[in-house]
Amino acid sequence: MARDDADAGVHVSGAHVWVRDSRVDSGWTAGEVLELLDEGKKLRVKLEDESGHRDGEVVEKIAEECALHNPGRNVEDMTRLSYLHEPGVLHNLHDRYRADDIYTYTGSILIAVNPFQKLPHLYGKPMMEMYRGTPIGDLSPHVYAVADASYKAMRTDQGKSQSILVSGESGAGKTETAKLIMNYFAFMGGRTDDDRYVEKQVLESNPLLEAFGNAKTVRNDNSSRFGKYIQIQFDVHGRISGAAIKTYLLERSRVVNINDPERNYHVFYQLCAGASEEEKINLNLKPAQEYRYLNSSRCFDLDGVDNAEEYRRTRRAMDVVGISKEEQDNVFRIAAAILHLGNCTFAGEDEAVLMDQNAEEHLQSAAALLGVNANALNKALTTRTIQTLEGSITSPLSPNSAAEGRDSLAKTLYSKLFDWLVAHINRSIGQDESAASHIGVLDIYGFESFKSNDFEQFCINFANEKLQQHFNEHVFKMEQQEYQAEQINWSYIDFVDNQDVLDLIERRPFGILDIIDEQCRFPSATHEELALKMYSTLKEDNDPTKRFSKPKRGQYAFTIRHYAGDVTYEANNFLDKNKDFVVVEHQNLLSNADQPLTRELFPIEDPTFSPNKKGSRAAYKFSSVGTRFKEQLHDLMAALATTEPWYVRCIKPNAHASPGAFERGSVLHQLRCGGVLEAVRISLAGFPTRRGYGEFLDRFGLFSSPPWASAKFTRIDDMRAATEELLEVAGVKGYELGVSKVFLRAGEMAKLDKKRRVLLDKAATRIQSYAKRYLVRSEFLRVREATIVIQAYTRGFIARREFEYRRREKASIVLQKEFRRWLARRKFLRIRQATISAQSYYRGKMARKRAMALKYEKSAIIIQSSWRKYRLQSDFRKNRRAAVAIQCAWRVRVAKRELRHRRMKAREAATLLRDKAVLEEKFAHATATLEKVKNQRDELRRDFKEYKVLLENVKDDLASESERRKCLEKDLSSFNATIERLKAELLEEQEGRAADCEALNASLAELCRRRDEREAELLSDLEASTNRISELQADLHREVQLKEAAQLSEAEAHASYEARAAEVILLQKRLDETPTQRDPLSTVDETRLSQNRNVGDTARHQAEADVKLKRMQLERQNEDMDSLLKVLAMPTGEIGFSPDGIPGIAVVTFASLAEWKAFEAERTHTFDRIMSAYARAVEKANSEDDDATLAYWLSSHASLLSILPSTLP
């Protein structure tokens, strides 16, 4: 682009310039000229960073590559910039954006920069009132000013229709700007006496079209995926009388294919989230994540957007635009049917069939919602009928072809539904055929260039090429109109015409659209053939403008040089996306649907179209999307040609939608794409700098002597003559004088500014010299006058000081006298007060000392008594623990000695065989009793409650038993005396009973032998049972570990524990059910009693004494047993574990059994009661869900079972 400071010599030292810098995205960096080199052809420049602080880097640049800074602050109209160039335009926009001035003029073009935040002070009715009727330019730039100017031009310029073209890239704020424009027109032309409320319907059509035509893209959360031209019609009184909406190029492919993190059209997510429960049942709706057309992207919700609320808002908009409740339901039925169609997946090798039951269910739902038969829909999706001369042929489709047909049907349904909505809105709003004029608002997509560009980008850029041509012609026309209005001499201005690009795209034949349509007519054509066709037809040799080229990368890609830059398109999907066809099967099926809206979308075709006529083989009707879009563009351009255009260029300041961020490179690219810089270039080609005569004289009047100012002149002709004289004095050649302005060629303003800067520098130097002389003399006079004043004040001060000294001397004598008297009295008072205080303190101290001594004595007595008590208690506990330890050690030693003795007897080999047989019998018996134990477990639980009642009774019996024990102790003393007497009598009778003793000895020997054999048998059985108990304990331990590792549920852990505990109890009962052998000693006693029953009263008395003695021992053992059971009933926290880690309850139980010599006797009821107590404790902990207590009792149970086998032979 040409620059207005192209000539060398316009730069001076200290001037601020823009330097070309490839290191920054905008291409320009600010700097300050330090020195001119090579007669001004080169400059030494100190660069500055973005914040304006010099970073100190000094570079040498060619003067032609440095553009001068614009003086002063930012301007509202960039055509008023002194230096109109790229960095000046960009810097002006940035300055205004930082001040929240988002609107800027460039001639008749309004540039709107998206703030990405709410600016409520810029909008609303007060602002509309402010701009109402105000000429454009009198107030700050605003979209309301453009809307008001177009409305006023329509009303005053013989009713000529107007148009406002809003463009920009996705996310730049086009849709919001169009809404603001329509709000202003509704404000200006609204009426309250019309029942239709046309303006309200026009405004409410926006959210409805946004729901069905907008989607989230990478750049924008609410991107319009279609172009929209709203024609607002006015009557002769300037009131809105009607409106019409026309849409362009809806992105159909988005319905069936989206990329992450984009979204499909908003209506699908609104329907899934906002439909009522009844609607979800009727439509068989599921969450959006379950639909294939929606879940190919992970984005389902937008920040700050409630899909359910948006759904209700869409429903309200439908009500406003006149869509009935039944029609609304039908619209959403078709939208839901499209979602269900997407989940109809196909499988198979050659013939397509539904993949699974889920696909069949979705097919049924889609058919029901569309009002067609499910089997007929399935057939239409999986087969094709081709008409031949012999008749019709139905052939199955492959899964891929069926999927393509399904997606084609979904796209056609959605496209026709969208067109139906637009048509219904137009019918509802109503067009005024007798309208005096209209204003059109075009909200259309801006120029797009991505890493991968497809058919949609090709059509969008084609539309922008058309609009750019219209824009260039309009800007050129406006430039000419201003020159004519100012009556200046001007020559033809050349501007870039993009007609060659349009010819490349739309010419016939051999245009790109023509080549695409030609290839689409061949059913077997591929994108490779399309690319080769374009390469051969449009190669650079046949394209003198070099607009078409083949890129180095991309096998099937092509590049077009657009006005905004080169764009490379991928031809892979061009053929598929250009085909807009309705399959005959689909058309016939849906045109006869039960659902009225479906029939309306697919009306019965005109008889002239018959794909089944003679010789026809077509199974579908082809229509070119590109050709239809070209025709729509021609209609749009024809409509715009009849109107007076106004342009609004929306700019997206950054790619992250962040408030305050301004990416210069991105903004500069959008300015190029929006044609703003082209408008600047056209302006530079003529007279880019324009100043009113008054403004010019005020700035450059200093060239004359004396300087002139605009206030000196009253007539415009005088100002014009003075301006011409100034230009002659300054040596400016490229200028023209208009009626009210002076027009300067590019570079002339820089020369004037340089000359003005030199004059100002000389004047500043002279002013500085006079100012410095004045300052020095003024300082001398001020110092001299100050010196005289200081001397006078000094003399007076010395005299006053002498007088004051003498007065003070006399007064000091009086003061000293009074002060000495005061000091003496104060000293006396202080001594007296100190004496009183000391006496009081001493008396209090002695009293406190006596009280403290008494307190210490009392405390010492208390401490001594507590210490003596503690020492005696400690000694008692220590002695008790030592006694218990000695007793335990002795009992262990005796038990081990007995164990070794019994193990020696059990090693005989003969007993092993008998043990094996016995164990086999017991195993069979245990298996048989297993089921019995399971049944008994429930009975035991019931007995447990009864035991609690018995326990209370037993406690009552204990009191009576204690009394009986005292009586038995008295009887024991008498029995002992009787025993001594009987022993003496027995000694006398022993000599006479020698023969009887020998017989008894023989019998005793036989009984001992039988006892040893039975003990060996029981020991082997006990050892096997002990091993099984050890295995069960290991299993229980593993169960606990598995419970902790896998975090089993409480019910599973309880079941596992009951199973293992039942097995342990079963084995224990096996031990208990072993036939009990009586003690040989007691047997001997009974034998002796039986043999000597008739010996005499003496023997009978001795036998009765022995029986009573054993009964007393048994009662004592039961009392000890009750004490042990009380210990078992104590809380677990009061018992704890032994120093070796063994649970304390197990240690107490084992010590008690050893004390009672329970291991030496045969099976007794002792073990049954202990095991029952353990089982009750485990069951109680389990029922109370106390895991800590349950673990304690389980470990106690396992420890006791592991200790018991070691005490048995």
Side-chain angles (χ1 to χ4, degrees), residues 114-371:
N114 194 340
F116 293 119
Q117 60 181 333
K118 299 291 185 181
L119 299 176
H121 65 282
L122 290 182
Y123 308 105
K125 285 190 177 181
M127 293 297 292
M128 293 181 186
E129 288 286 356
M130 183 184 301
Y131 281 91
R132 185 176 194 170
T134 303
I136 190 169
D138 288 0
L139 295 176
S140 299
H142 202 287
V143 67
Y144 290 159
V146 174
D148 184 78
S150 65
Y151 180 79
K152 187 164 54 177
M154 179 196 67
R155 297 278 292 151
T156 57
D157 190 9
Q158 298 178 355
K160 184 176 181 179
S161 298
Q162 309 288 311
S163 61
I164 301 177
L165 283 69
V166 182
S167 64
E169 71 170 34
S170 178
K174 302 186 298 297
T175 302
E176 293 299 322
T177 302
K179 290 180 185 177
L180 293 172
I181 293 172
M182 288 189 288
N183 283 331
Y184 188 82
F185 288 149
F187 171 75
M188 294 291 294
R191 62 177 73 195
T192 60
D193 57 350
D194 192 345
D195 294 336
R196 293 183 302 164
Y197 295 103
V198 175
E199 60 277 4
K200 185 176 182 181
Q201 292 177 323
V202 172
L203 295 177
E204 284 299 327
S205 67
N206 284 321
L208 178 58
L209 293 179
E210 285 182 10
F212 285 86
N214 287 25
K216 180 188 183 303
T217 62
V218 177
R219 296 185 177 182
N220 185 11
D221 287 350
N222 189 32
S223 175
S224 298
R225 306 316 300 162
F226 67 102
K228 177 174 60 178
Y229 182 67
I230 303 177
Q231 190 180 79
I232 304 175
Q233 299 161 346
F234 297 85
D235 58 18
V236 294
H237 302 291
R239 298 290 183 181
I240 296 176
S241 59
I245 300 174
K246 191 173 184 179
T247 59
Y248 303 91
L249 194 65
L250 177 70
E251 189 180 357
R252 291 156 38 102
S253 60
R254 180 171 291 272
V255 177
V256 299
N257 184 24
I258 55 176
N259 299 320
D260 196 24
E262 296 185 348
R263 290 205 324 171
N264 211 315
Y265 289 105
H266 295 328
V267 66
F268 294 124
Y269 305 92
Q270 294 176 7
L271 180 60
C272 292
S276 63
E277 293 300 325
E278 181 181 358
E279 289 176 325
K280 289 181 179 179
I281 294 174
N282 294 335
L283 303 179
N284 196 17
L285 280 178
K286 298 180 179 179
Q289 292 82 349
E290 298 188 21
Y291 291 106
R292 197 178 65 86
Y293 283 164
L294 305 181
N295 60 19
S296 55
S297 170
R298 292 174 294 179
C299 180
F300 298 97
D301 298 299
L302 300 178
D303 294 338
V305 177
D306 184 357
N307 288 324
E309 179 60 31
E310 291 298 317
Y311 173 76
R312 291 187 285 272
R313 183 186 176 196
T314 303
R315 282 276 195 177
R316 289 194 297 269
M318 286 182 165
D319 294 334
V320 173
V321 299
I323 301 178
S324 65
K325 180 68 167 60
E326 181 181 358
E327 289 175 330
Q328 293 179 29
D329 294 339
N330 290 335
V331 167
F332 289 111
R333 284 172 66 89
I334 292 180
I338 293 173
L339 293 179
H340 288 298
L341 274 177
N343 284 15
C344 297
T345 53
F346 302 97
E349 297 182 357
D350 298 327
E351 298 184 7
V353 294
L354 291 174
M355 180 175 291
D356 50 23
Q357 183 65 29
N358 185 44
E360 293 181 3
E361 292 177 0
H362 284 285
L363 180 70
Q364 294 283 348
S365 300
L369 294 173
L370 293 174

Side-chain angles (χ1 to χ4, degrees), residues 671-929:
L671 291 175
R672 291 194 182 104
C673 295
V676 176
L677 296 184
E678 180 63 21
V680 172
R681 195 202 67 77
I682 293 175
S683 180
L684 287 173
F687 297 93
T689 306
R690 304 121 195 240
R691 293 288 184 274
Y693 289 130
E695 181 184 356
F696 187 83
L697 290 174
D698 288 339
R699 182 170 178 80
F700 299 107
L702 56 88
F703 290 169
S704 66
S705 182
W708 292 338
S710 61
K712 180 179 178 182
F713 306 96
T714 57
R715 296 190 312 118
I716 193 66
D717 293 336
D718 296 337
M719 290 186 182
R720 187 174 186 274
T723 300
E724 186 175 9
E725 183 177 348
L726 285 179
L727 292 173
E728 293 295 336
V729 171
V732 177
K733 303 297 182 183
Y735 69 90
E736 287 290 341
L737 299 177
V739 176
S740 60
K741 299 178 184 177
V742 57
F743 293 79
L744 300 177
R745 292 283 188 185
E748 299 299 336
M749 179 61 74
K751 293 179 181 179
L752 290 173
D753 279 338
K754 179 180 179 182
K755 185 177 181 64
R756 179 175 178 273
R757 192 179 300 112
V758 172
L759 288 176
L760 290 177
D761 288 344
K762 291 180 180 179
T765 303
R766 189 170 184 180
I767 290 172
Q768 287 174 358
S769 65
Y770 279 99
K772 290 176 182 177
R773 186 190 69 174
Y774 169 76
L775 292 175
V776 171
R777 177 167 177 78
S778 297
E779 181 67 17
F780 166 73
L781 294 176
R782 186 183 65 80
V783 171
R784 187 181 65 176
E785 183 178 358
T787 302
I788 295 172
V789 173
I790 290 172
Q791 289 175 352
Y793 274 100
T794 302
R795 293 188 184 98
F797 171 74
I798 293 173
R800 287 190 296 273
R801 187 178 62 180
E802 180 66 21
F803 171 76
E804 184 68 17
Y805 172 75
R806 293 179 181 178
R807 187 177 67 81
R808 286 176 176 269
E809 184 178 10
K810 182 177 180 181
S812 62
I813 296 172
V814 176
L815 290 174
Q816 288 174 3
K817 178 184 68 175
E818 294 295 329
F819 182 69
R820 291 189 184 99
R821 181 184 64 79
W822 178 78
L823 284 178
R825 177 168 177 77
R826 188 182 67 172
K827 183 177 180 182
F828 165 74
L829 295 175
R830 283 181 177 178
I831 292 173
R832 188 180 69 173
Q833 183 64 31
T835 303
I836 295 172
S837 299
Q839 291 174 351
S840 174
Y841 174 75
Y842 177 75
R843 292 173 183 145
K845 181 179 179 181
M846 295 304 295
R848 287 192 295 274
K849 185 175 181 181
R850 287 193 297 271
M852 188 59 66
L854 295 174
K855 184 177 180 180
Y856 285 162
E857 183 178 358
K858 183 178 180 181
S859 299
I861 294 171
I862 295 173
I863 292 172
Q864 289 173 0
S865 64
S866 299
W867 168 249
R868 293 188 185 99
K869 176 184 176 182
Y870 169 74
R871 187 172 58 186
L872 292 174
Q873 289 178 346
S874 300
D875 293 341
F876 170 73
R877 294 192 188 98
K878 188 182 299 182
N879 294 333
R880 185 176 61 182
R881 285 196 297 269
V884 172
I886 293 171
Q887 290 174 359
C888 291
W890 175 252
R891 290 166 185 162
V892 168
R893 182 177 178 184
V894 172
K896 288 182 178 179
R897 184 187 307 158
E898 184 65 21
L899 177 62
R900 284 194 299 270
H901 178 68
R902 294 188 179 186
R903 284 180 177 175
M904 289 175 62
K905 293 180 179 180
R907 290 173 183 172
E908 296 180 4
T911 59
L912 295 177
L913 296 176
R914 291 193 301 272
D915 293 341
K916 179 179 179 183
V918 172
L919 287 176
E920 290 176 351
E921 294 176 359
K922 291 183 179 181
F923 178 75
H925 178 70
T927 305
T929 56

Side-chain angles (χ1 to χ4, degrees), residues 368-435:
L369 294 173
L370 293 174
V372 299
N373 181 269
N375 294 329
L377 179 60
N378 186 21
K379 182 179 179 181
L381 292 176
T382 57
T383 63
R384 287 290 177 271
T385 301
I386 301 176
Q387 298 295 331
T388 64
L389 296 176
E390 291 77 11
S392 61
I393 299 175
T394 301
S395 59
L397 297 178
S398 66
N400 291 336
S401 299
E404 291 176 0
R406 174 205 62 205
D407 292 342
S408 175
L409 176 59
K411 291 188 290 186
T412 303
L413 272 171
Y414 195 81
S415 176
K416 287 181 175 293
L417 178 63
F418 185 79
D419 294 339
W420 181 89
L421 283 171
V422 175
H424 198 289
I425 292 172
N426 287 331
R427 288 196 303 270
S428 177
I429 296 175
Q431 299 189 44
D432 185 6
E433 301 295 338
S434 61

Side-chain angles (χ1 to χ4, degrees), residues 568-579:
T568 299
Y569 301 96
E570 300 291 340
N572 297 4
N573 300 319
F574 269 50
L575 295 180
D576 294 335
K577 294 185 177 181
N578 187 56
K579 295 176 183 178

